[in-house]
């Protein structure tokens, strides 16, 4: 069994509490914002229309507002994505999670992909926000992930991120499945990103053991809906605000989804 040394605050600040399901009502968003405040996570990750609500509810809590743009398919034009990202940052978004154009990446049109990321990064940084770039790894091969890490490192984005949580892949039997964040992909992203680029694991990290494992390999942030369960288990297992060495069971292949 492996170990890692963490604090309770470090765990909380490694979580973006995800409020992205397309059917979420305003009451469900409010409950998610309450959880975000209670556990003092890094951010509440929301859809853009919820920015005013999140900004109001999180004021003074230390929890940042993190809207998504081009979400979840990433297929808007570059101009639309730049507009959306600028508007989100202007409205109060402090961290912006954007989805690349996956089809362009798979086509090897790397100049298009890099130019889009560069424009969006410049737009959000100008507004005082930071950018997380979502790859949607389920659609990609290792060589695509490596190239994207290299592009994002050259541009100097704040984070590279595995997944949206909604990138389901059609299988031969007609069913759709989703792996989300996997340990091999996370190690690949850490290896091929510059040290200043942080890593976000999204999709499938639902347990304290999963969070501890990804932290141990250099992941800085996760996207999760299971925040309350993770933080309650952390307390039960004796993790405190002092550095605590804790054992964890390494996770296998992720089963996907938030």
């Amino acid at each position: 069994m492996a170990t890692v040394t963490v604090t309770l605050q470090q765990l909380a600040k490694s979580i973006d509490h995800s409020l992205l399901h397309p059917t979420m009502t305003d009451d469900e968003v409010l409950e998610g914002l309450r959880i975000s405040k209670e556990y003092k996570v890094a951010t509440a990750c929301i859809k853009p229309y919820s920015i005013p609500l999140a900004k109001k509810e999180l004021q003074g809590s230390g929890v940042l507002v993190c809207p998504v743009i081009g979400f979840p398919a990433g297929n808007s034009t570059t101009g639309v994505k730049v507009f959306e990202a600028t508007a989100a940052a202007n409205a109060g978004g402090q961290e912006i999670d954007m989805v690349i154009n996956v089809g362009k990446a798979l086509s090897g049109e790397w100049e298009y992909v890099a130019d889009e990321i560069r424009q969006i990064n410049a737009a959000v940084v100008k507004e005082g926000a930071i950018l997380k770039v979502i790859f949607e790894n389920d659609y990609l091969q290792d060589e695509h992930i490596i190239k994207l890490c290299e592009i994002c490192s050259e541009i100097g984005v704040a984070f590279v991120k595995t997944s949206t949580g909604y990138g389901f892949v059609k299988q031969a039997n007609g069913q759709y499945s989703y792996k989300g964040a996997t340990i091999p992909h996370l190690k690949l992203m850490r290896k091929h990103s510059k040290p200043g680029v942080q890593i976000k694991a999204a999709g499938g990290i639902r347990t304290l053991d999963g969070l501890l494992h990804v932290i141990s390999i250099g992941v800085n942030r996760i996207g999760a809906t299971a925040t309350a369960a993770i933080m309650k288990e952390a307390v039960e297992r004796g993790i405190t605000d002092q550095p605590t060495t804790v054992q964890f069971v390494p996770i296998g292949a992720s089963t996907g989804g938030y």
Side-chain angles (χ1 to χ4, degrees):
M1 191 174 290
T3 64
V4 65
T5 301
V6 293
T7 67
L8 202 61
Q9 182 183 44
Q10 179 188 353
L11 292 181
K13 292 303 181 185
S14 68
I15 297 174
D16 288 348
H17 188 57
S18 176
L19 304 172
L20 298 174
H21 197 281
T23 65
M24 289 194 86
T25 65
D26 288 352
D27 284 345
E28 289 169 331
V29 172
L30 278 168
E31 174 61 14
L33 296 172
R34 184 195 66 75
I35 290 169
S36 300
K37 287 189 292 185
E38 178 180 353
Y39 293 102
K40 297 181 173 62
V41 298
T43 79
C45 200
I46 56 168
K47 292 168 282 189
Y49 72 83
S50 294
I51 294 172
L53 180 63
K55 188 177 177 182
K56 176 184 175 183
E57 294 297 319
L58 297 176
Q59 186 174 8
S61 69
V63 179
L64 302 183
V65 178
C66 176
V68 294
I69 65 113
F71 195 91
N75 290 329
S76 300
T77 64
T78 297
V80 167
K81 287 163 114 171
V82 170
F83 175 85
E84 187 179 16
T86 302
N90 271 329
Q94 294 151 297
E95 298 188 3
I96 309 293
D97 288 22
M98 62 81 68
V99 188
I100 69 157
N101 187 310
V102 180
K104 288 292 190 182
L106 291 172
S107 299
E109 294 196 34
W110 296 114
E111 285 190 19
Y112 181 104
V113 173
D115 181 63
E116 180 172 90
I117 295 170
R118 187 176 290 108
Q119 287 192 49
I120 296 168
N121 187 62
V124 302
V125 169
K126 184 179 179 181
E127 300 298 329
I130 66 169
L131 184 67
K132 304 193 197 85
V133 178
I134 306 172
F135 294 177
E136 203 66 280
N137 286 346
D138 271 60
Y139 295 142
L140 306 174
Q141 301 301 315
D142 286 2
E143 58 264 31
H144 303 117
I145 295 169
I146 291 169
K147 182 66 174 179
L148 286 164
C149 288
E150 292 171 349
I151 288 170
C152 289
S153 294
E154 187 274 325
I155 292 169
V157 305
F159 281 82
V160 290
K161 176 178 171 182
T162 59
S163 320
T164 63
Y166 300 94
F168 296 94
V169 179
K170 190 173 184 178
Q171 305 301 313
N173 63 2
Q175 299 297 308
Y176 286 83
S177 67
Y178 187 59
K179 293 179 181 178
T182 67
I183 295 300
H185 280 164
L186 291 167
K187 288 181 176 178
L188 192 71
M189 292 168 76
R190 183 65 280 165
K191 178 180 178 181
H192 292 279
S193 299
K194 287 183 178 178
V197 177
Q198 300 184 75
I199 311 295
K200 178 175 174 181
I205 311 299
R206 302 189 189 91
T207 64
L208 177 61
D209 280 338
L211 175 53
L212 295 172
H213 190 178
V214 298
I215 286 174
S216 77
I217 63 170
V219 170
N220 309 93
R221 198 78 66 82
I222 69 165
T225 56
T227 299
I230 290 170
M231 295 304 297
K232 286 175 182 176
E233 186 179 355
V235 172
E236 291 168 359
R237 286 170 61 177
I239 299 173
T240 69
D241 286 329
Q242 298 301 312
T244 308
T245 300
V246 60
Q247 293 184 326
F248 65 89
V249 178
I251 58 175
S254 171
T255 54
Y258 273 116

